[in-house]
Amino acid sequence: MGLLTIGVFARAARLSPKALRLYDELGLLTPARVDPSSGYRLYDPAQLERARLVAWLRRLGMPLVRIRAVCDAGPGAGAAEVRAYWARVESDTAARRDLAAFLIGHLSGKDTTMTSATTTGPRPAFAIRYAAASDTGTVRERNEDTAYAGPRLLAVADGFGGASGPSGLSGPSGLSGPSGPSGTDTSAPRAADTPGAPASAVAVEALKALETVEAPLGDLLNSLEEAARRAHDSVNELASSDPALHGVGTTLTALLWSGSRLALVHIGDSRAYLLRGDRFFQITHDHTLVRAMVDEGRITAEEASSHPQRALLLRALGGGGEFAPDLGVREVRAGDRYLLCSDGLSAVVGAEDIREVVAAAPAPGDAVRELIDLAVRAGGPDNVSCVVADVVASREP
């Protein structure tokens, strides 16, 4: 069979002539020959397989740059590229699912109000009992974590980077927050005087104003996102204020309560878990190189736990990176127990051991102490911070 005109080739490949001209310009699908007089593009029938592959990948929504990588790779490598792309699509879809559910409920007229913590008004459907603590661990000289718990806001941040700072606080900090479902927050961020520590502290400080914000539930996620952006800017300002702080950054995982829902902001490798009934599961996605490699099928979860680059972050606040957190809204239920922690816990204590403590501890303070003890007994190679909160029905006035 001779060369095919662009029209015939387009019909056979189920692509439009306009698309074929674009793919030619991008070097993705170059014609076998271009007539020097007319400029007509002519294609070899053998190119149909590549053209059809391009068409299939476009139906998946794959970007053209990534399609080129698939087409230029061999069959095995091409399959790995498609697997990696689809894993990312599923991850992004899962992150948007809760937000879609929230918007459906919001647009259906189920909005409530997040009232000021310092003024009278409608009581939320639920309240929380909470505790937070941070420990330097047995290896690090300083603590770069910050853990915070209040009536509406929970947060964990793990600072990093910068030149070595002066000696700071060390050893375990006390539990923060009352043990009851309501009350004045007397906690303060726990952080040490070391470059990563102020980064985590200023990030959490930027969120604390949300404790007394009055806003419709529809603005809950926007309020949290704006506060997280302020935290990102604050960390960048900190980095530019002193050469010794150049390059500092921090992870941030935070939950903000309103009525029967909570908003989540997450960036980095600190984590949030939920215990609901007998189910215990992670509700955040690690922004690390090894997690991306697992998602793409390049390594197993077991290999990731001992990978030499397992601490390498892909996203964080500050640190010279873009502001790109995960955001979501979740429905809460009475009896839920939430855990926020830095990787000083999750990197050395298995998920099943964490679950056992979270499920068995009678109160948030007990859970926090036992989890930190677990990390320390496992060697405590990093700072470890935990926040635990129980969702309870609001007390009647």
Side-chain angles (χ1 to χ4, degrees):
M1 182 184 295
L3 297 179
L4 306 178
T5 65
I6 190 171
V8 173
F9 188 81
R11 287 192 294 274
R14 298 189 177 182
L15 290 167
S16 68
K18 180 179 179 180
L20 287 174
R21 286 190 285 270
L22 173 62
Y23 301 160
D24 179 18
E25 293 171 4
L26 297 176
L28 182 60
L29 190 60
T30 305
R33 180 173 175 269
V34 177
D35 188 283
S37 301
S38 64
Y40 288 166
R41 293 171 172 84
L42 300 172
Y43 293 84
D44 191 309
Q47 292 180 282
L48 279 172
E49 182 177 357
R50 182 181 177 103
R52 287 167 179 155
L53 177 58
V54 171
W56 292 332
L57 294 173
R58 287 298 288 162
R59 291 190 185 100
L60 282 180
M62 184 178 286
L64 291 173
V65 172
R66 196 150 190 175
I67 288 177
R68 177 185 291 177
V70 173
C71 292
D72 292 344
E81 285 289 339
V82 174
R83 186 183 303 112
Y85 169 74
W86 195 247
R88 176 54 55 191
V89 170
E90 290 184 323
S91 175
D92 291 344
T93 300
R96 294 194 298 269
R97 187 177 297 122
D98 288 335
L99 178 57
F102 160 71
L103 290 173
I104 291 169
H106 173 57
L107 294 173
S108 299
K110 298 179 180 178
D111 200 6
T112 60
T113 298
M114 178 169 61
T115 57
S116 170
T118 59
T119 61
T120 60
R123 289 181 178 268
F126 299 102
I128 55 172
R129 295 188 178 100
Y130 50 86
S134 185
D135 189 278
T136 304
T138 62
V139 175
R140 300 290 180 91
E141 294 182 357
R142 306 176 182 91
N143 194 345
E144 297 184 335
D145 286 2
T146 297
Y148 174 86
R152 285 187 170 83
L153 177 69
L154 309 175
V156 165
D158 181 356
F160 62 85
S164 296
S167 297
L169 302 176
S170 62
S173 65
L175 296 177
S176 69
S179 60
S182 62
T184 302
D185 174 33
T186 59
S187 63
R190 315 293 191 184
D193 183 17
T194 182
S200 65
V202 300
V204 171
E205 190 66 30
L207 269 62
K208 288 181 67 180
L210 295 172
E211 290 276 23
T212 55
V213 163
E214 183 173 344
L217 181 57
D219 290 337
L220 179 66
L221 195 60
N222 290 339
S223 298
L224 185 57
E225 181 180 17
E226 289 169 4
R229 186 178 292 278
R230 290 194 298 271
H232 179 70
D233 293 342
S234 296
V235 174
N236 283 331
E237 290 172 7
L238 178 70
S240 62
S241 67
D242 185 338
L245 299 176
H246 176 72
V248 296
T250 184
T251 70
L252 177 66
T253 301
L255 300 176
L256 178 65
W257 254 263
S258 176
S260 62
R261 294 186 178 95
L262 63 82
L264 164 70
V265 63
H266 166 72
I267 188 165
D269 63 352
S270 297
R271 292 181 176 181
Y273 293 90
L274 169 61
L275 176 70
R276 174 169 287 172
D278 60 357
R279 296 181 61 214
F280 180 71
F281 48 95
Q282 184 178 341
I283 61 173
T284 53
H285 190 82
D286 295 349
H287 299 144
T288 60
L289 175 64
V290 294
R291 183 66 254 178
M293 293 171 71
V294 171
D295 292 342
E296 294 170 2
R298 298 181 184 179
I299 60 174
T300 65
E302 291 74 19
E303 291 170 333
S305 64
S306 58
H307 195 281
Q309 294 180 306
R310 60 187 177 277
L312 185 61
L313 293 174
L314 298 181
R315 290 194 242 168
L317 294 183
E322 296 182 358
F323 177 72
D326 291 340
L327 297 157
V329 177
R330 303 185 66 89
E331 293 279 351
V332 300
R333 299 178 186 173
D336 284 351
R337 174 170 281 184
Y338 287 86
L339 164 67
L340 276 61
C341 66
S342 63
D343 67 336
L345 175 70
S346 57
V348 297
V349 180
E352 181 58 27
D353 291 333
I354 294 175
R355 186 200 68 78
E356 288 181 2
V357 171
V358 172
D366 299 308
V368 163
R369 282 187 289 266
E370 291 179 34
L371 289 168
I372 288 180
D373 286 346
L374 272 182
V376 171
R377 291 200 302 270
D382 197 359
N383 310 143
V384 54
S385 295
C386 298
V387 175
V388 173
D390 289 346
V391 179
V392 297
S394 292
R395 290 175 177 171
E396 295 298 327

